[in-house]
Amino acid sequence: MEKIRLTGAQATMLATLYGKAVDAGSPRSILHDTMALDAVRKIDHDFSQVGMKPGDAATVALRSLHFDGWTREFLAAHPSCTVLHLGCGMDTRVFRVDPGSGVRWYDVDYPDVIDLRRKLYPADRPGYELVAASVTPPGWLDQVPGDLPVLVVAEGLTMYLREEEGRELFRRIVEHFPGGQFVFDAFSRRGIRMQRMNKPVQVAGATLHWGVDGAAELTSVHPRLRCLDAVSAFDIGGYDRVGVRYRALVGVARMLPFMRRMAVMYRLAF
């Protein structure tokens, strides 16, 4: 069993991992992330205390499934490309989408997270590298060649960055590569203000910072950026597969503009 000592934003990945594991163990699994289930069984941690409520697992799985879809679309259009999976945590996306031989894939996260990944997941895939670094300092990007189109996947990351950190990260990436896409989720400013209601964030002792109230705030980061999609987390497909309580919540959220905008999945191109 692997003992872990994670705090703050890093610790929130445990709730996400546990949600995917619970989903994988369900007879109606959405994501089928059996690697997450195996990882949870190997970690010495009381996962009942990560702040996941009954039914949360399906919503975690649906969000990841949506980003898997966007990832597959980009890889199909760009068989030779680079993928930067920022704040990857214990996500197994590289194994789920199984990129082809022309893809360079970089999973980037803090050193203790990467150490845990090395212990629990295979790291010897061709074209696959683990980068042990915070995403905000500029140095780590220097080791990534900038000659191919890039897909930047940042699921569950932006809200933990301070606004200028996030904007500068996006600027550096745009200027490093010839073109590509960002796919990520963001909370609105109201969503940031309501973080006390986010149980996994509170349990981890984390703090949310960057709120985004629309695509215009993101495309203003760099002249090359344009928005391809901005989809409310309540508008993605698959909610017919969640419990009655969540279906009712989604129905209410779709009728209330402020709730619909609280969590949005963006796809930007440059």
Side-chain angles (χ1 to χ4, degrees), residues 80-140:
S80 294
C81 68
T82 295
V83 176
L84 299 180
H85 191 186
L86 305 184
C88 60
M90 294 301 292
D91 189 274
T92 64
R93 179 162 288 116
V94 66
F95 305 104
R96 294 197 303 268
V97 305
D98 192 22
S101 59
V103 177
R104 304 172 185 150
W105 188 296
Y106 298 84
D107 273 346
V108 186
D109 213 317
Y110 288 103
D112 46 0
V113 176
I114 295 300
D115 286 345
L116 184 60
R117 289 188 68 93
R118 292 186 187 279
K119 293 175 182 176
L120 297 181
Y121 298 153
D124 57 352
R125 287 180 60 95
Y128 176 51
E129 293 190 33
L130 294 163
V131 179
S134 166
V135 300
T136 52
W140 67 269

Side-chain angles (χ1 to χ4, degrees), residues 69-261:
W70 275 351
T71 300
R72 288 189 174 99
E73 286 182 24
F74 187 89
L75 296 182
H78 303 86
S80 294
C81 68
T82 295
V83 176
L84 299 180
H85 191 186
L86 305 184
C88 60
M90 294 301 292
D91 189 274
T92 64
R93 179 162 288 116
V94 66
F95 305 104
R96 294 197 303 268
V97 305
D98 192 22
S101 59
V103 177
R104 304 172 185 150
W105 188 296
Y106 298 84
D107 273 346
V108 186
D109 213 317
Y110 288 103
D112 46 0
V113 176
I114 295 300
D115 286 345
L116 184 60
R117 289 188 68 93
R118 292 186 187 279
K119 293 175 182 176
L120 297 181
Y121 298 153
D124 57 352
R125 287 180 60 95
Y128 176 51
E129 293 190 33
L130 294 163
V131 179
S134 166
V135 300
T136 52
W140 67 269
L141 191 58
D142 294 339
Q143 62 187 286
V144 179
D147 56 334
L148 295 175
V150 67
L151 175 69
V152 182
V153 184
E155 179 184 355
L157 172 68
T158 64
M159 57 287 296
Y160 294 100
L161 306 178
R162 296 190 181 276
E163 180 174 356
E164 189 46 46
E165 289 178 333
R167 292 174 68 89
E168 180 57 30
L169 173 63
F170 279 38
R171 280 193 291 266
R172 284 200 303 271
I173 291 172
V174 169
E175 293 173 0
H176 189 76
F177 292 96
Q181 292 181 8
F182 292 85
V183 295
F184 60 99
D185 50 340
F187 287 168
S188 67
R189 287 183 176 82
R190 179 175 289 203
I192 298 295
R193 291 195 298 269
M194 295 176 65
Q195 63 184 280
R196 290 183 181 179
M197 298 175 63
N198 190 320
K199 189 67 172 177
V201 170
Q202 295 307 304
V203 168
T207 302
L208 307 181
H209 298 286
W210 188 14
V212 177
D213 286 337
E217 296 184 9
L218 298 164
T219 55
S220 70
V221 169
H222 197 283
R224 293 176 64 196
L225 282 171
R226 65 187 189 281
C227 182
L228 300 180
D229 293 290
V231 183
S232 170
F234 297 109
D235 288 336
I236 62 174
Y239 281 109
D240 57 322
R241 302 166 70 178
V242 305
V244 173
R245 184 173 69 89
Y246 267 87
R247 288 203 300 272
L249 172 64
V250 169
V252 171
R254 286 172 173 170
M255 293 186 292
L256 300 174
F258 82 91
M259 286 192 67
R260 202 167 194 160
R261 293 191 295 266

